[in-house]
DNA sequence: CGACGACTTGACGTGTTTCAAACGAGGTGG
DNA sequence: CCACCTCGTTTGAAACACGTCAAGTCGTCG
């Protein structure tokens, strides 16, 4: 389902930003409509025209690609504050789905581009944004290339802690299957490896979605 | 060794582009000095200030990261015409080395940025460039996540064929070790898998650096 | 309370890594 | 011109980490 279709039955709403707010964040709020997506609902599909830009307000989003035989690779997780859907070409190269019930700010790409053409500050922010995506992709590459399951989980947990930290605990919005598809592992290996890390006193698992980092040094060592 | 150091003993030379050439390619030639690097010579190191932008004239370059225990991940290969060294922050996040003897055009980043600030066409080209890097990184992600050795090699060969094709043969500028570090495999697995693909009549290996794509359909099927 | 989905655990199979040796092409010196 | 060395590549055998298939547990919701 495309963003346009979804828009027909979502609840648009506007915030009240300061006038003449010449930042990307401010502009997005000024021009965007907020939409809600249910768990596992598609925000846009691979190959669809990339007419909109998105910013996560609450919840979480994954961008992923499906292979012909059902294997799935998750390219990135997007948490509150993150922008996604930014593309070079005219089409989305990944699909985007809500991981949990989410509120997302939606802005027309043409509007942002028009803004960037006139305001170099906005253009600079857009540059920073895509450069951040590239950095994330590079980090993700490092994670997938010849690292074992423990090293992948350690890197993942440290990344989530950095982006999503509340004290020493990480609140995971995604399922084990999502983690597996992000890390290039199976759900069983993810589960077993978490159990190993807990046995090694590197982490604690009060619930399956909450992970306490008990020994960051040990995790960092795995992340070498 | 940093680009600056290398510059002291390289042979700067200028081409003669048309005057008022308002394209990035033209500007790079106008403002850049060409430098030569020997096989395995470092062009810049991880963590060094990113003061320059580079364009491969001839030869080939790899950008890579080293892990503490010696494992290496290659982030990308850069062939003639490709630009590399473009960074979001002030430091290079990967190191760059020449794979073979190479000639590289070197341009001051500040000069390019000044140009882009005045000329929106240049700015747009820079945007396209970094977006291409992001696309490549995404393709690379798909390659590394839960694909077996045959699928990785098939994807790699098709990518190289697309970027570097001469008829149906691919002339590889890089060693088996470089391929392994790009694909997240060991050198032995790369070698064995190529032998398997040859036995399956998907490719031919006249020499170790030259690969003839004999059955693209079979390779594409692996790339599903 | 019962049913469903998500997660964990177990036993076994397999593809890739590891360690080791052999091979081949290119270059140098006799 | 051939012997010899070197470096990259290929091949072999064994070990191991992860995948697969299957059963069991836990938490949630109706």
């Amino acid at each position: 389902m495309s963003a346009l279709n979804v828009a027909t039955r979502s609840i648009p709403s506007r915030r009240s930003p300061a006038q003449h707010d010449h930042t990307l964040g401010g502009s997005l709020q000024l021009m965007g409509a907020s939409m809600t997506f249910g768990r596992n609902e598609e925000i846009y599909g691979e190959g669809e025209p990339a007419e909109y830009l998105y910013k996560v307000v609450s919840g979480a989003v994954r961008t992923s690609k499906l292979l012909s035989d059902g294997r799935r690779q998750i390219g990135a997780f997007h948490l509150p504050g993150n922008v996604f859907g930014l593309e070079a070409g005219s089409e989305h190269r990944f699909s985007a789905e809500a991981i949990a019930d989410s509120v997302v700010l939606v802005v027309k790409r043409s509007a942002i581009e028009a803004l960037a053409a006139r305001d170099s500050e906005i253009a600079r922010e857009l540059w920073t944004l895509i450069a951040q995506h590239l950095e994330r992709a590079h980090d993700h590459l490092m994670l997938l290339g010849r690292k074992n399951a423990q090293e992948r989980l350690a890197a993942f947990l440290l990344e989530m802690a950095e982006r999503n930290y509340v004290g020493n605990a990480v609140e995971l919005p995604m399922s084990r299957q999502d983690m597996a598809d992000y890390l290039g592992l199976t759900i069983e290996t993810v589960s077993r490896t978490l159990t190993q890390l807990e046995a090694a006193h590197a982490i604690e698992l009060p619930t399956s979605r909450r992970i306490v980092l008990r020994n960051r040094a040990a995790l960092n060592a795995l992340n070498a």
Side-chain angles (χ1 to χ4, degrees), chain A residues 27-199:
Chain A
S27 303
L28 288 177
Q29 289 191 1
L30 190 64
M31 305 186 305
S34 79
M35 294 172 45
T36 63
F37 295 91
R39 186 169 139 79
N40 289 326
E41 190 175 346
E42 181 173 295
I43 299 171
Y44 57 76
E46 189 182 337
E48 286 183 9
E51 296 176 33
Y52 296 90
L53 212 67
Y54 305 83
K55 181 171 186 172
V56 182
V57 174
S58 69
V61 172
R62 65 173 175 252
T63 42
S64 64
K65 232 172 188 167
L66 216 55
L67 272 66
S68 51
D69 62 352
R71 280 176 294 180
R72 187 182 61 164
Q73 178 64 43
I74 292 182
F77 292 117
H78 307 282
L79 305 182
N82 295 154
V83 173
F84 66 97
L86 204 53
E87 302 283 344
S90 59
E91 288 183 3
H92 286 298
R93 295 167 45 76
F94 284 73
S95 69
E97 304 101 30
I99 287 173
D101 293 350
S102 300
V103 178
V104 175
L105 219 54
V106 184
V107 190
K108 249 203 172 348
R109 178 178 173 173
S110 55
I112 291 290
E113 282 175 353
L115 210 62
R118 282 187 287 107
D119 188 333
S120 71
E121 174 60 23
I122 301 282
R124 220 183 51 75
E125 285 191 66
L126 272 176
W127 173 268
T128 304
L129 222 46
I130 200 166
Q132 273 174 10
H133 280 241
L134 183 55
E135 281 197 13
R136 283 256 165 79
H138 277 157
D139 289 344
H140 197 177
L141 276 186
M142 293 301 298
L143 196 162
L144 290 176
R146 252 156 97 40
K147 290 212 176 193
N148 65 29
Q150 287 206 8
E151 293 169 326
R152 293 184 196 204
L153 260 299
F156 174 73
L157 292 176
L158 289 170
E159 182 201 336
M160 289 310 290
E162 199 169 314
R163 294 173 62 182
N164 198 22
Y165 78 107
V166 189
N168 249 348
V170 180
E171 202 67 51
L172 297 176
M174 74 289 287
S175 70
R176 293 286 186 269
Q177 186 63 59
D178 287 332
M179 293 170 60
D181 290 345
Y182 181 78
L183 298 173
L185 299 170
T186 60
I187 181 175
E188 294 96 331
T189 300
V190 168
S191 185
R192 268 188 261 269
T193 304
L194 286 174
T195 306
Q196 286 169 24
L197 290 175
E198 185 174 37

